[in-house]
Amino acid sequence: MNRILIAEDEPRIAAFVEKGLQAHGFAVSVATDSQQTLLIVEASTFDLLILDLGLPGQDGLQVLTQLRGEGETLPIIILSARDDIRDKVAGFERGADDYVTKPFRFEELLIRIKARLRNRNSANRQIEAILQNGNLLLDLRTRKVKVDGCWMELPCREFNLAETFFRHPGQVLSREQLLDRVWGYAYDPGSNIVDVYVSYLRKKLGNNLIETVRGMGYRFKT
Ligand code: CA
């Protein structure tokens, strides 16, 4: 199921888009200001972001600039009442994939969302069959990892955890982020499941690769 985040402060529009997308089988979350949008995108995994420009806090264009500056590649469709060509140019220049002006028809937004997801899926299939970090390779098709020249299979959760690290090399990932991405449920502060699985991965990939960052989480060394 594709996950879509709607960044929209107007409840009526957010509810309209949310209901429409849910009816077409998407999992939808809503953020109502720029701060929340940035936090949710960083903490979770989405397939697409629908971004209003007139958001409380930072402007949507600043949100866009920050996300792209951090290397975030998820498709972003701007949905805004600003219909001036200069706004559209600014949006595309800062890394938006598409621009829909309000008022809009839901069907048009849906078509553009589907087009973006199709592009992303076919691009992902071509480029991302194998992820690499130094001598380590992770094959997304066979779900195997290559360590010291040998391919080995990883159990499902370990593979998903390894994939998360491979996709964020050098970045500190908190336990909450790892739980959300790998196990997909809300953080239980008492759970040490992440630490347990990190220790499994360390045994297989090598002890020094996954650093513990005190009080923060884990970092996959590049
Ligand atoms: Ca707005």
Side-chain angles (χ1 to χ4, degrees):
M1 188 189 285
N2 282 305
R3 297 182 70 191
I4 296 183
L5 177 63
I6 305 168
E8 174 62 71
D9 62 316
E10 171 62 55
R12 201 174 42 85
I13 296 175
F16 171 68
V17 177
E18 183 181 20
K19 284 196 188 111
L21 290 176
Q22 283 171 342
H24 283 83
F26 295 99
V28 183
S29 301
V30 176
T32 55
D33 63 40
S34 52
Q35 189 63 25
Q36 203 186 9
T37 304
L38 290 168
L39 286 174
I40 294 178
V41 169
E42 279 160 22
S44 193
T45 311
F46 288 91
D47 299 294
L48 188 135
L49 169 64
I50 298 171
L51 180 64
D52 178 28
L53 293 184
L55 284 174
Q58 287 175 299
D59 186 84
L61 283 177
Q62 285 172 273
V63 173
L64 182 60
T65 306
Q66 185 167 337
L67 288 175
R68 292 303 188 227
E70 290 165 358
E72 181 57 66
T73 61
L74 97 160
I76 298 176
I77 298 179
I78 292 175
L79 180 62
S80 174
R82 298 182 202 164
D83 58 1
D84 192 289
I85 185 66
R86 280 168 297 193
D87 292 308
K88 293 185 184 175
V89 168
F92 282 109
E93 277 181 350
R94 290 174 193 224
D97 297 279
D98 207 343
Y99 198 112
V100 178
T101 51
K102 299 170 184 168
F104 63 101
R105 292 184 62 99
F106 179 76
E107 289 73 14
E108 185 188 355
L109 180 63
L110 182 64
I111 285 167
R112 290 175 185 240
I113 288 169
K114 286 183 172 172
R116 285 298 137 204
L117 292 175
R118 218 170 22 242
N119 285 351
R120 181 174 172 82
N121 291 341
S122 58
N124 284 353
R125 267 198 301 278
Q126 283 159 17
I127 301 165
E128 296 195 315
I130 291 183
L131 304 176
Q132 182 172 15
N133 188 347
N135 294 326
L136 286 178
L137 299 179
L138 193 73
D139 190 324
L140 300 175
R141 294 161 306 186
T142 60
R143 299 179 73 81
K144 286 181 178 174
V145 66
K146 192 176 188 181
V147 185
D148 295 333
C150 291
W151 286 103
M152 72 173 130
E153 224 159 302
L154 290 175
C156 179
R157 298 291 192 199
E158 287 175 46
F159 182 87
N160 292 349
L161 184 61
E163 182 181 349
T164 306
F165 280 123
F166 269 85
R167 287 189 187 282
H168 301 90
Q171 195 180 323
V172 178
L173 298 169
S174 68
R175 287 179 178 76
E176 292 93 328
Q177 286 174 318
L178 293 168
L179 258 185
D180 180 71
R181 288 176 195 206
V182 177
W183 284 267
Y185 44 74
Y187 181 55
D188 165 11
S191 165
N192 68 343
I193 194 165
V194 171
D195 311 271
V196 170
Y197 273 79
V198 165
S199 73
Y200 292 160
L201 273 188
R202 278 178 175 154
K203 281 185 193 131
K204 292 179 180 173
L205 306 186
N207 255 328
N208 305 321
L209 265 166
I210 304 170
E211 270 181 307
T212 303
V213 183
R214 279 200 123 186
M216 306 272 288
Y218 293 104
R219 176 166 48 210
F220 193 41
K221 283 203 226 166
T222 50

